[in-house]
Amino acid sequence: AQSVTQLDSQVPVFEEAPVELRCNYSSSVSVYLFWYVQYPNQGLQLLLKYLSGSTLVKGINGFEAEFNKSQTSFHLRKPSVHISDTAEYFCAVMGAGSYQLTFGKGTKLSVIP
Amino acid sequence: DTAVSQTPKYLVTQMGNDKSIKCEQNLGHDTMYWYKQDSKKFLKIMFSYNNKELIINETVPNRFSPKSPDKAHLNLHINSLELGDSAVYFCASSTPGTIYEQYFGPGTRLTVT
């Protein structure tokens, strides 16, 4: 079984400042890692995913994440946030050979003008 | 040309009633999912169907019954609704070629009074 811990439930940040949203996972098997974004009153949209290969993955809207196997982390970063980035962000893990996504509890990113 | 659609978007009903939520995807995917998002935004998978066959069935009360008439549809029927069923229900789909990318519908907000 897999589990995901998002270390911050809320992250306020000023516009144009950098941001990091933290995610740690645990699993007894190899994993695939994902970040999803949920804008208010909308469904989830995939930001980026790590399947294999380069540990630094780039996604949409200028986001990137780094897979760190030794620290079992997959933190999400953006060098300069915009008001439009205000949303809920979910880290998720899928065990190898599984169809099942396990989500973290989400981090609410609030961008302050 | 909505990829994953759900109806209705909002559903308000009384305890004890039976209700259904419909999901349709036009992506040609063969795996579909139902997720429940509670009031604290926690997302948990409920069911998954692959080619109309149930492949994931998490610990969900028997009052919840998924029905997949064909690969493009996965409906959720709920009997004897309870207050605790109030949540946002998301449908999602994927395909073996993109199994690591699940496409989510806009959600159905169910309120049980």
Side-chain angles (χ1 to χ4, degrees), chain B residues 15-78:
Chain B
M15 286 175 56
N17 285 348
D18 303 338
K19 290 293 179 185
S20 291
I21 306 171
K22 295 186 177 181
C23 177
E24 176 181 4
Q25 53 92 6
N26 62 5
L27 298 167
H29 290 172
D30 54 12
T31 303
M32 297 184 72
Y33 312 79
W34 277 110
Y35 289 87
K36 179 180 179 181
Q37 186 176 46
D38 64 22
S39 59
K40 296 186 177 180
K41 301 276 189 176
F42 183 54
L43 267 161
K44 187 171 170 58
I45 191 164
M46 300 172 69
F47 302 102
S48 177
Y49 269 74
N50 177 259
N51 283 322
K52 300 196 298 174
E53 290 195 20
L54 184 66
I55 56 171
I56 295 173
N57 184 359
E58 289 297 296
T59 307
V60 176
N62 291 338
R63 301 181 293 103
F64 290 79
S65 53
K67 295 281 193 301
S68 183
D70 55 57
K71 287 195 325 182
H73 296 84
L74 180 62
N75 303 323
L76 184 65
H77 188 75
I78 315 169

Side-chain angles (χ1 to χ4, degrees), chain A residues 79-90:
Chain A
S80 175
V81 296
H82 303 289
I83 295 289
S84 59
D85 293 324
T86 294
E88 193 90 23
Y89 291 79
F90 293 92

